[in-house]
Structure formats: C-alpha cells, structure tokens
Amino acid sequence: MLFFKKKKDPGQPRPDWPWALTIGPSRPRTTLSWGDIQKALEGLIPDGDSFVILEQKDPRDPKKYWYVQSAIATAGPHQGEYTVGYGWSGEKRAEMWERMVSTVGAVIPYFEKAWNCKPVDLAGFEDRSDWLPVNNK
C-alpha cells in the first residue's frame, strides 16, 4: 500500500505560515493578537485608505500567500457595506473571492476563522480573480 502526502489546499489559511496585519496604508505588523485584528476591523471607516488585510506568506517561498481583507465600499450599489475578500496564490493564477456584508459584526467571523486556521467556505462569495492585474497581463 502506498502512502501519499496530502497536498495542502492553497485556498485555505495555513497554521505553519506566520501572520501579518496591515491596517490602512501602514506597514504590515507581524506581532499581533486577535484583539488587534478585531479592533482594526471595528475601526474601519468609509474611506479609500481604511482597510484591513490579514495575510500569510510561505516562509520558504514568498510567492505563495493567503489573505483575508475588508473595507467599506465608498461608492456604487453597495456603498456603506463591507467587502470581505479571500485571496491566495493559486496553482495557475492568483485567486480573489469577494462578498458584501452589511455590518462589521458580519465581517469579524471571517477573520476569526482565518486567524484560527479553520477551513474557509466560499459559499456566497464571487470569483473576482479577473480583477487582479497579475491575471490580466
């Protein structure tokens, strides 16, 4: 009987990769706690420079990454709503999936699940990968 090492799903957070937190245009922080993430999300305002990104990079290959991000839409049909986006370096292209939610209370569980490296579910998310410049060369 052959035993194969199960391949990791690139669309899921990785417990063996370190976290970094970016709040607005500031530099990413690598020393953080769940409280820092929750406070950052609760501090979002409808402004182009107000966003939160919780990301991971493979320490052995920085081209491999995974993230969850959020901001408040400042225009369009979803103005005032929160975007929640998951992104990762896929096998063939960069992936980005998004959905809109109405409150920060609805955003927090997505970040908490990621922070705890629980499997994320893309139900209700839309594939926005074609919006990424790396996929449109």
Side-chain angles (χ1 to χ4, degrees), residues 31-81:
T31 303
L32 59 139
S33 68
W34 169 246
D36 297 326
I37 299 163
Q38 189 169 358
K39 182 178 176 184
L41 292 169
E42 291 169 348
L44 285 171
I45 60 172
D47 180 277
D49 283 336
S50 182
F51 56 87
V52 176
I53 304 170
L54 181 61
E55 66 183 316
Q56 299 179 298
K57 288 187 181 175
D58 182 342
R60 293 171 300 284
D61 183 357
K63 292 181 181 178
K64 293 181 181 178
Y65 60 86
W66 188 94
Y67 66 84
V68 58
Q69 64 184 4
S70 188
I72 300 174
T74 58
H78 296 286
Q79 184 173 358
E81 293 181 355

Short mmCIF file of all heavy atoms in Angstrom, two decimals, residues 31-81:
data_model
loop_
_atom_site.label_atom_id
_atom_site.label_comp_id
_atom_site.label_asym_id
_atom_site.label_seq_id
_atom_site.Cartn_x
_atom_site.Cartn_y
_atom_site.Cartn_z
N THR A 31 3.76 41.24 14.82
CA THR A 31 3.46 40.94 16.22
C THR A 31 2.05 41.42 16.45
O THR A 31 1.78 42.62 16.44
CB THR A 31 4.45 41.67 17.16
OG1 THR A 31 5.78 41.28 16.81
CG2 THR A 31 4.18 41.33 18.61
N LEU A 32 1.12 40.46 16.62
CA LEU A 32 -0.28 40.82 16.74
C LEU A 32 -1.05 39.77 17.52
O LEU A 32 -0.57 38.66 17.72
CB LEU A 32 -0.90 41.01 15.35
CG LEU A 32 -0.87 39.81 14.42
CD1 LEU A 32 -2.19 39.71 13.68
CD2 LEU A 32 0.26 39.98 13.41
N SER A 33 -2.23 40.18 17.94
CA SER A 33 -3.14 39.30 18.67
C SER A 33 -4.52 39.39 18.03
O SER A 33 -4.77 40.27 17.19
CB SER A 33 -3.22 39.73 20.14
OG SER A 33 -3.89 40.98 20.23
N TRP A 34 -5.41 38.50 18.44
CA TRP A 34 -6.78 38.56 17.93
C TRP A 34 -7.41 39.92 18.26
O TRP A 34 -8.12 40.51 17.46
CB TRP A 34 -7.64 37.40 18.46
CG TRP A 34 -9.07 37.64 18.13
CD1 TRP A 34 -10.10 37.88 18.99
CD2 TRP A 34 -9.63 37.74 16.81
NE1 TRP A 34 -11.26 38.12 18.29
CE2 TRP A 34 -11.00 38.03 16.95
CE3 TRP A 34 -9.11 37.62 15.53
CZ2 TRP A 34 -11.85 38.20 15.86
CZ3 TRP A 34 -9.96 37.78 14.44
CH2 TRP A 34 -11.31 38.07 14.61
N GLY A 35 -7.13 40.46 19.43
CA GLY A 35 -7.66 41.76 19.82
C GLY A 35 -7.25 42.87 18.87
O GLY A 35 -8.05 43.77 18.58
N ASP A 36 -6.02 42.82 18.37
CA ASP A 36 -5.55 43.82 17.40
C ASP A 36 -6.37 43.76 16.11
O ASP A 36 -6.72 44.79 15.53
CB ASP A 36 -4.08 43.58 17.04
CG ASP A 36 -3.14 43.72 18.21
OD1 ASP A 36 -3.39 44.56 19.10
OD2 ASP A 36 -2.14 42.97 18.24
N ILE A 37 -6.67 42.54 15.67
CA ILE A 37 -7.43 42.35 14.43
C ILE A 37 -8.85 42.86 14.61
O ILE A 37 -9.37 43.62 13.78
CB ILE A 37 -7.42 40.86 14.03
CG1 ILE A 37 -5.98 40.39 13.79
CG2 ILE A 37 -8.29 40.62 12.81
CD1 ILE A 37 -5.82 38.88 13.80
N GLN A 38 -9.49 42.47 15.70
CA GLN A 38 -10.87 42.89 15.95
C GLN A 38 -10.96 44.41 16.08
O GLN A 38 -11.86 45.04 15.51
CB GLN A 38 -11.39 42.21 17.21
CG GLN A 38 -12.87 42.43 17.42
CD GLN A 38 -13.45 41.54 18.51
OE1 GLN A 38 -12.76 40.72 19.10
NE2 GLN A 38 -14.71 41.73 18.78
N LYS A 39 -10.02 45.02 16.78
CA LYS A 39 -10.01 46.49 16.94
C LYS A 39 -9.85 47.17 15.58
O LYS A 39 -10.51 48.16 15.29
CB LYS A 39 -8.88 46.90 17.88
CG LYS A 39 -8.80 48.38 18.15
CD LYS A 39 -7.68 48.69 19.13
CE LYS A 39 -7.55 50.19 19.31
NZ LYS A 39 -6.41 50.53 20.18
N ALA A 40 -8.98 46.63 14.73
CA ALA A 40 -8.77 47.20 13.40
C ALA A 40 -10.05 47.12 12.57
O ALA A 40 -10.42 48.09 11.90
CB ALA A 40 -7.63 46.48 12.68
N LEU A 41 -10.73 45.98 12.62
CA LEU A 41 -11.98 45.84 11.87
C LEU A 41 -13.05 46.80 12.38
O LEU A 41 -13.76 47.43 11.59
CB LEU A 41 -12.48 44.40 11.95
CG LEU A 41 -11.63 43.37 11.22
CD1 LEU A 41 -12.06 41.96 11.59
CD2 LEU A 41 -11.70 43.59 9.71
N GLU A 42 -13.15 46.93 13.68
CA GLU A 42 -14.15 47.84 14.28
C GLU A 42 -13.82 49.30 13.99
O GLU A 42 -14.70 50.16 14.07
CB GLU A 42 -14.26 47.58 15.77
CG GLU A 42 -14.90 46.24 16.07
CD GLU A 42 -14.81 45.80 17.52
OE1 GLU A 42 -14.04 46.42 18.31
OE2 GLU A 42 -15.50 44.82 17.88
N GLY A 43 -12.58 49.59 13.63
CA GLY A 43 -12.16 50.95 13.31
C GLY A 43 -12.30 51.33 11.85
O GLY A 43 -11.96 52.46 11.47
N LEU A 44 -12.77 50.42 11.01
CA LEU A 44 -12.94 50.75 9.59
C LEU A 44 -13.93 51.90 9.42
O LEU A 44 -14.94 51.98 10.11
CB LEU A 44 -13.44 49.53 8.81
CG LEU A 44 -12.42 48.44 8.54
CD1 LEU A 44 -13.11 47.21 7.94
CD2 LEU A 44 -11.33 48.94 7.60
N ILE A 45 -13.59 52.80 8.48
CA ILE A 45 -14.48 53.91 8.13
C ILE A 45 -14.60 53.94 6.60
O ILE A 45 -13.76 53.37 5.90
CB ILE A 45 -13.94 55.27 8.66
CG1 ILE A 45 -12.55 55.57 8.08
CG2 ILE A 45 -13.93 55.28 10.18
CD1 ILE A 45 -12.04 56.96 8.38
N PRO A 46 -15.64 54.58 6.07
CA PRO A 46 -15.79 54.65 4.61
C PRO A 46 -14.80 55.63 3.99
O PRO A 46 -15.09 56.80 3.76
CB PRO A 46 -17.24 55.07 4.40
CG PRO A 46 -17.67 55.68 5.68
CD PRO A 46 -16.79 55.13 6.76
N ASP A 47 -13.59 55.16 3.76
CA ASP A 47 -12.51 55.97 3.21
C ASP A 47 -11.59 55.05 2.41
O ASP A 47 -11.35 53.91 2.84
CB ASP A 47 -11.74 56.62 4.36
CG ASP A 47 -10.60 57.49 3.89
OD1 ASP A 47 -9.51 56.94 3.62
OD2 ASP A 47 -10.78 58.71 3.80
N GLY A 48 -11.07 55.51 1.31
CA GLY A 48 -10.20 54.70 0.46
C GLY A 48 -8.94 54.21 1.14
O GLY A 48 -8.33 53.23 0.71
N ASP A 49 -8.51 54.87 2.21
CA ASP A 49 -7.31 54.47 2.94
C ASP A 49 -7.63 53.67 4.20
O ASP A 49 -6.76 53.47 5.04
CB ASP A 49 -6.48 55.69 3.32
CG ASP A 49 -5.68 56.24 2.14
OD1 ASP A 49 -5.41 55.46 1.20
OD2 ASP A 49 -5.33 57.43 2.16
N SER A 50 -8.89 53.25 4.35
CA SER A 50 -9.29 52.48 5.53
C SER A 50 -9.59 51.05 5.10
O SER A 50 -10.63 50.77 4.49
CB SER A 50 -10.52 53.12 6.18
OG SER A 50 -10.89 52.41 7.34
N PHE A 51 -8.67 50.15 5.40
CA PHE A 51 -8.83 48.74 5.06
C PHE A 51 -8.01 47.91 6.04
O PHE A 51 -7.11 48.42 6.71
CB PHE A 51 -8.41 48.45 3.62
CG PHE A 51 -7.01 48.87 3.28
CD1 PHE A 51 -5.93 48.03 3.51
CD2 PHE A 51 -6.77 50.13 2.74
CE1 PHE A 51 -4.63 48.42 3.20
CE2 PHE A 51 -5.48 50.54 2.43
CZ PHE A 51 -4.40 49.68 2.66
N VAL A 52 -8.34 46.62 6.11
CA VAL A 52 -7.62 45.68 6.97
C VAL A 52 -7.29 44.46 6.13
O VAL A 52 -8.16 43.91 5.45
CB VAL A 52 -8.48 45.27 8.19
CG1 VAL A 52 -7.76 44.22 9.03
CG2 VAL A 52 -8.85 46.47 9.03
N ILE A 53 -6.03 44.04 6.18
CA ILE A 53 -5.59 42.83 5.50
C ILE A 53 -4.84 41.95 6.50
O ILE A 53 -3.87 42.39 7.11
CB ILE A 53 -4.65 43.14 4.31
CG1 ILE A 53 -5.31 44.10 3.32
CG2 ILE A 53 -4.23 41.83 3.61
CD1 ILE A 53 -4.36 44.63 2.25
N LEU A 54 -5.31 40.73 6.66
CA LEU A 54 -4.64 39.72 7.47
C LEU A 54 -4.07 38.71 6.49
O LEU A 54 -4.82 38.07 5.76
CB LEU A 54 -5.64 39.06 8.42
CG LEU A 54 -5.09 38.00 9.37
CD1 LEU A 54 -4.03 38.59 10.31
CD2 LEU A 54 -6.22 37.36 10.15
N GLU A 55 -2.74 38.64 6.43
CA GLU A 55 -2.13 37.82 5.38
C GLU A 55 -1.05 36.89 5.91
O GLU A 55 -0.49 37.10 6.98
CB GLU A 55 -1.54 38.72 4.30
CG GLU A 55 -0.38 39.56 4.77
CD GLU A 55 0.16 40.50 3.71
OE1 GLU A 55 0.32 40.08 2.56
OE2 GLU A 55 0.43 41.66 4.05
N GLN A 56 -0.79 35.88 5.10
CA GLN A 56 0.26 34.91 5.37
C GLN A 56 1.11 34.76 4.12
O GLN A 56 0.60 34.85 3.01
CB GLN A 56 -0.31 33.53 5.68
CG GLN A 56 -1.19 33.46 6.88
CD GLN A 56 -1.72 32.04 7.05
OE1 GLN A 56 -2.41 31.53 6.19
NE2 GLN A 56 -1.37 31.42 8.16
N LYS A 57 2.41 34.51 4.34
CA LYS A 57 3.31 34.15 3.24
C LYS A 57 4.10 32.92 3.66
O LYS A 57 4.48 32.80 4.83
CB LYS A 57 4.27 35.30 2.90
CG LYS A 57 3.58 36.44 2.21
CD LYS A 57 4.55 37.48 1.73
CE LYS A 57 3.77 38.62 1.07
NZ LYS A 57 4.64 39.71 0.70
N ASP A 58 4.33 32.07 2.70
CA ASP A 58 5.13 30.88 2.95
C ASP A 58 6.56 31.33 3.25
O ASP A 58 7.18 32.00 2.43
CB ASP A 58 5.09 29.98 1.71
CG ASP A 58 5.84 28.68 1.87
OD1 ASP A 58 6.69 28.57 2.78
OD2 ASP A 58 5.59 27.78 1.06
N PRO A 59 7.09 31.00 4.43
CA PRO A 59 8.46 31.44 4.75
C PRO A 59 9.51 30.86 3.82
O PRO A 59 10.59 31.42 3.68
CB PRO A 59 8.68 30.94 6.18
CG PRO A 59 7.46 30.24 6.61
CD PRO A 59 6.46 30.26 5.51
N ARG A 60 9.20 29.76 3.14
CA ARG A 60 10.15 29.15 2.20
C ARG A 60 9.97 29.65 0.77
O ARG A 60 10.83 29.46 -0.07
CB ARG A 60 10.00 27.62 2.24
CG ARG A 60 10.44 27.04 3.58
CD ARG A 60 10.10 25.57 3.73
NE ARG A 60 8.69 25.24 3.64
CZ ARG A 60 7.79 25.44 4.60
NH1 ARG A 60 8.16 26.00 5.73
NH2 ARG A 60 6.53 25.10 4.43
N ASP A 61 8.83 30.27 0.47
CA ASP A 61 8.56 30.74 -0.88
C ASP A 61 7.60 31.93 -0.80
O ASP A 61 6.39 31.75 -0.79
CB ASP A 61 7.95 29.63 -1.73
CG ASP A 61 7.71 30.06 -3.17
OD1 ASP A 61 7.94 31.23 -3.52
OD2 ASP A 61 7.26 29.20 -3.96
N PRO A 62 8.11 33.18 -0.73
CA PRO A 62 7.25 34.35 -0.55
C PRO A 62 6.28 34.60 -1.71
O PRO A 62 5.41 35.45 -1.61
CB PRO A 62 8.24 35.51 -0.39
CG PRO A 62 9.56 35.00 -0.79
CD PRO A 62 9.52 33.51 -0.76
N LYS A 63 6.41 33.84 -2.80
CA LYS A 63 5.44 33.97 -3.89
C LYS A 63 4.13 33.23 -3.57
O LYS A 63 3.13 33.42 -4.24
CB LYS A 63 6.02 33.44 -5.20
CG LYS A 63 7.14 34.31 -5.73
CD LYS A 63 7.67 33.76 -7.02
CE LYS A 63 8.82 34.65 -7.52
NZ LYS A 63 9.40 34.15 -8.75
N LYS A 64 4.15 32.41 -2.51
CA LYS A 64 2.95 31.71 -2.07
C LYS A 64 2.37 32.48 -0.89
O LYS A 64 3.06 32.75 0.09
CB LYS A 64 3.27 30.28 -1.66
CG LYS A 64 3.71 29.42 -2.83
CD LYS A 64 4.00 28.01 -2.36
CE LYS A 64 4.46 27.15 -3.52
NZ LYS A 64 4.80 25.79 -3.08
N TYR A 65 1.08 32.83 -0.99
CA TYR A 65 0.45 33.65 0.04
C TYR A 65 -1.02 33.29 0.19
O TYR A 65 -1.62 32.60 -0.65
CB TYR A 65 0.59 35.14 -0.31
CG TYR A 65 -0.06 35.50 -1.63
CD1 TYR A 65 -1.41 35.83 -1.70
CD2 TYR A 65 0.67 35.46 -2.82
CE1 TYR A 65 -2.01 36.12 -2.91
CE2 TYR A 65 0.07 35.75 -4.03
CZ TYR A 65 -1.27 36.08 -4.07
OH TYR A 65 -1.87 36.36 -5.26
N TRP A 66 -1.62 33.81 1.26
CA TRP A 66 -3.06 33.68 1.53
C TRP A 66 -3.46 34.90 2.34
O TRP A 66 -2.69 35.38 3.18
CB TRP A 66 -3.33 32.40 2.33
CG TRP A 66 -4.79 32.12 2.47
CD1 TRP A 66 -5.52 31.32 1.66
CD2 TRP A 66 -5.69 32.65 3.43
NE1 TRP A 66 -6.84 31.33 2.06
CE2 TRP A 66 -6.96 32.15 3.15
CE3 TRP A 66 -5.56 33.52 4.51
CZ2 TRP A 66 -8.09 32.47 3.90
CZ3 TRP A 66 -6.68 33.85 5.25
CH2 TRP A 66 -7.92 33.32 4.95
N TYR A 67 -4.66 35.44 2.09
CA TYR A 67 -5.11 36.60 2.88
C TYR A 67 -6.63 36.67 2.98
O TYR A 67 -7.35 36.07 2.19
CB TYR A 67 -4.56 37.91 2.30
CG TYR A 67 -5.10 38.27 0.93
CD1 TYR A 67 -6.31 38.92 0.78
CD2 TYR A 67 -4.38 37.96 -0.22
CE1 TYR A 67 -6.80 39.25 -0.49
CE2 TYR A 67 -4.86 38.27 -1.48
CZ TYR A 67 -6.08 38.92 -1.60
OH TYR A 67 -6.56 39.23 -2.85
N VAL A 68 -7.07 37.45 3.96
CA VAL A 68 -8.46 37.88 4.08
C VAL A 68 -8.38 39.39 4.27
O VAL A 68 -7.50 39.91 4.96
CB VAL A 68 -9.21 37.17 5.24
CG1 VAL A 68 -8.55 37.38 6.58
CG2 VAL A 68 -10.68 37.59 5.27
N GLN A 69 -9.29 40.11 3.62
CA GLN A 69 -9.26 41.57 3.70
C GLN A 69 -10.68 42.13 3.80
O GLN A 69 -11.64 41.46 3.43
CB GLN A 69 -8.56 42.16 2.47
CG GLN A 69 -9.28 41.89 1.18
CD GLN A 69 -8.51 42.41 -0.03
OE1 GLN A 69 -7.39 42.90 0.08
NE2 GLN A 69 -9.11 42.29 -1.20
N SER A 70 -10.77 43.37 4.28
CA SER A 70 -12.07 44.04 4.36
C SER A 70 -11.89 45.55 4.27
O SER A 70 -10.84 46.09 4.66
CB SER A 70 -12.80 43.69 5.66
OG SER A 70 -14.12 44.19 5.63
N ALA A 71 -12.93 46.19 3.76
CA ALA A 71 -13.02 47.65 3.69
C ALA A 71 -14.50 47.98 3.55
O ALA A 71 -15.34 47.09 3.35
CB ALA A 71 -12.24 48.19 2.49
N ILE A 72 -14.83 49.25 3.64
CA ILE A 72 -16.21 49.70 3.44
C ILE A 72 -16.30 50.32 2.05
O ILE A 72 -15.50 51.19 1.70
CB ILE A 72 -16.62 50.73 4.52
CG1 ILE A 72 -16.53 50.11 5.92
CG2 ILE A 72 -18.03 51.26 4.25
CD1 ILE A 72 -16.79 51.09 7.06
N ALA A 73 -17.29 49.89 1.28
CA ALA A 73 -17.48 50.44 -0.07
C ALA A 73 -17.87 51.91 0.05
O ALA A 73 -18.74 52.28 0.83
CB ALA A 73 -18.58 49.66 -0.80
N THR A 74 -17.19 52.75 -0.73
CA THR A 74 -17.43 54.20 -0.67
C THR A 74 -18.30 54.71 -1.81
O THR A 74 -18.66 55.88 -1.83
CB THR A 74 -16.09 54.97 -0.67
OG1 THR A 74 -15.37 54.62 -1.85
CG2 THR A 74 -15.26 54.63 0.57
N ALA A 75 -18.64 53.84 -2.76
CA ALA A 75 -19.48 54.24 -3.89
C ALA A 75 -20.17 53.00 -4.45
O ALA A 75 -19.87 51.87 -4.06
CB ALA A 75 -18.63 54.91 -4.96
N GLY A 76 -21.07 53.23 -5.39
CA GLY A 76 -21.71 52.13 -6.08
C GLY A 76 -22.92 51.58 -5.35
O GLY A 76 -23.34 52.11 -4.32
N PRO A 77 -23.46 50.49 -5.86
CA PRO A 77 -24.69 49.94 -5.31
C PRO A 77 -24.53 49.37 -3.90
O PRO A 77 -25.52 49.20 -3.18
CB PRO A 77 -25.07 48.83 -6.29
CG PRO A 77 -23.81 48.47 -6.98
CD PRO A 77 -22.99 49.73 -7.02
N HIS A 78 -23.32 49.11 -3.47
CA HIS A 78 -23.08 48.55 -2.13
C HIS A 78 -22.43 49.57 -1.20
O HIS A 78 -21.83 49.19 -0.19
CB HIS A 78 -22.21 47.29 -2.23
CG HIS A 78 -22.86 46.18 -2.97
ND1 HIS A 78 -23.88 45.43 -2.43
CD2 HIS A 78 -22.68 45.72 -4.23
CE1 HIS A 78 -24.29 44.54 -3.31
NE2 HIS A 78 -23.57 44.70 -4.42
N GLN A 79 -22.56 50.85 -1.53
CA GLN A 79 -21.97 51.90 -0.71
C GLN A 79 -22.38 51.72 0.75
O GLN A 79 -23.55 51.49 1.05
CB GLN A 79 -22.41 53.28 -1.21
CG GLN A 79 -21.76 54.42 -0.46
CD GLN A 79 -22.09 55.77 -1.07
OE1 GLN A 79 -22.78 55.85 -2.08
NE2 GLN A 79 -21.60 56.82 -0.47
N GLY A 80 -21.40 51.79 1.64
CA GLY A 80 -21.65 51.66 3.07
C GLY A 80 -21.59 50.22 3.57
O GLY A 80 -21.57 50.00 4.79
N GLU A 81 -21.54 49.25 2.67
CA GLU A 81 -21.41 47.86 3.07
C GLU A 81 -19.94 47.46 3.15
O GLU A 81 -19.07 48.15 2.60
CB GLU A 81 -22.14 46.94 2.08
CG GLU A 81 -23.63 47.13 2.08
CD GLU A 81 -24.34 46.19 1.11
OE1 GLU A 81 -23.68 45.45 0.36
OE2 GLU A 81 -25.57 46.21 1.13
#
